[in-house]
């Protein structure tokens, strides 16, 4: 089975919230939640004695249908992921800034409400609908059959705690930051909300593009490793490569434009 994903985001937000930092988002596909994929482009390490609290919402809609080579895969659903995050500076190590972080994700999966709008958007601009119009709108169906054996077949969503995440960030220099992530299996693998132990290690690079440092280019690269368990354990990749890029450009007063692209190697 092949499950590939690339995320591209274009948005506006207040400079006070976005300055020097990308969106802490990653692949939200139902079958990607076993992987310890981090949010890349996190920007500078939080100084000692300071902290940052944030609440973010990833609202994603997925649709994919394919049957070939003895495999039959259908991904049709919507997910709201509400993440509560806390980052705080620690005592510097060898004179280099150090921070720790905690992320508590809440997941709500189901048929959603976005199908009609997405189909209309595609029709308006002449974009392909990937056969969305051949299936009921706002349904939830995650199904995978291999060689006549049904491994996953869910027609109802779930809500609950996803996998908790602990992080560390060490400033190697003014532009380079080494980051690590530990993923704890607090989700439920049977309900596709997590339930996998894993970790990630990557480097963030920050290049200011203006004297004020509001304009910046952030580059990231590293690896993630995770346990392979659940109904698709024999297909899951234990190690995944990561890469990301974020471009931040001031637009008007306190508004910045952010373009972000995240990618990873195949998960299955």
């Amino acid at each position: 089975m092949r499950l590939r994903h690339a995320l591209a985001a274009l948005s506006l937000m207040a400079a006070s919230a976005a300055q020097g930092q990308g969106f802490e988002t990653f692949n939200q596909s139902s079958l990607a939640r076993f992987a310890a994929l981090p949010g890349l482009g996190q920007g500078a390490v939080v100084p000692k004695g300071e902290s940052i609290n944030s609440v973010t919402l990833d609202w994603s809609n997925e649709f994919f249908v394919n049957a070939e080579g003895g495999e039959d895969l259908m991904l049709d659903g919507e997910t709201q992921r509400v993440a509560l995050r806390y980052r705080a500076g620690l005592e510097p190590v060898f004179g280099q800034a150090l921070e720790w972080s905690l992320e508590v994700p809440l997941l709500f999966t189901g048929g959603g409400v976005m199908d009609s709008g997405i189909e209309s958007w595609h029709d308006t601009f002449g974009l392909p609908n990937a056969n969305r119009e051949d299936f009921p709108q706002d349904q939830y169906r995650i199904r995978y059959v291999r060689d006549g054996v049904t491994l996953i077949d869910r027609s109802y969503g779930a809500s609950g705690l996803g996998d908790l995440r602990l992080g560390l960030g060490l400033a190697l220099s003014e532009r380079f930051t080494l980051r690590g992530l530990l993923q704890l299996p607090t989700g439920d693998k049977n309900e596709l909300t997590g339930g996998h132990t894993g970790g990630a290690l990557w480097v963030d690079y920050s290049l200011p593009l203006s004297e004020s440092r509001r304009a910046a280019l952030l580059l990231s690269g590293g690896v993630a490793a995770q346990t392979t368990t659940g109904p698709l354990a024999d297909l899951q990749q234990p190690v995944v490569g990561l890469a990301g890029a974020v471009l931040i450009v001031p637009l008007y007063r306190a508004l910045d434009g952010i373009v972000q692209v995240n990618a990873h190697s195949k998960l299955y």
Side-chain angles (χ1 to χ4, degrees), residues 29 48 52 61 79-80 126 136 155 197 237 240 243 266:
S29 174
K48 177 188 175 183
I52 299 175
N61 181 289
T79 300
Q80 295 87 40
S155 58
T197 303
Q237 295 291 328
V240 177
K266 65 180 183 179

Side-chain angles (χ1 to χ4, degrees), residues 32-134:
R33 294 193 187 114
F34 81 96
L37 302 175
L40 302 176
Q42 295 182 22
V45 172
V46 178
K48 177 188 175 183
E50 297 184 16
S51 63
I52 299 175
N53 298 292
S54 64
V55 179
T56 60
L57 169 65
D58 279 309
W59 194 322
S60 57
N61 181 289
E62 61 181 331
F63 182 86
F64 179 81
V65 177
N66 190 49
E68 63 177 315
E71 295 181 304
D72 188 345
L73 175 64
M74 181 173 189
L75 303 175
D76 188 1
E78 209 163 283
T79 300
Q80 295 87 40
R81 184 181 190 269
V82 180
L84 312 177
R85 293 189 176 98
Y86 176 77
R87 295 171 60 184
L90 298 173
E91 188 72 31
V93 175
F94 301 115
Q96 301 299 317
L98 179 68
E99 73 168 29
W100 77 280
S101 63
L102 170 66
E103 178 183 280
V104 181
L106 304 174
L107 293 174
F108 306 89
T109 64
V113 298
M114 295 175 62
D115 284 355
S116 177
I118 292 173
E119 292 178 20
S120 297
W121 173 273
H122 289 174
D123 290 340
T124 299
F125 293 96
L127 302 173
N129 252 322
N131 298 324
R132 281 177 175 265
E133 65 276 3
D134 296 334

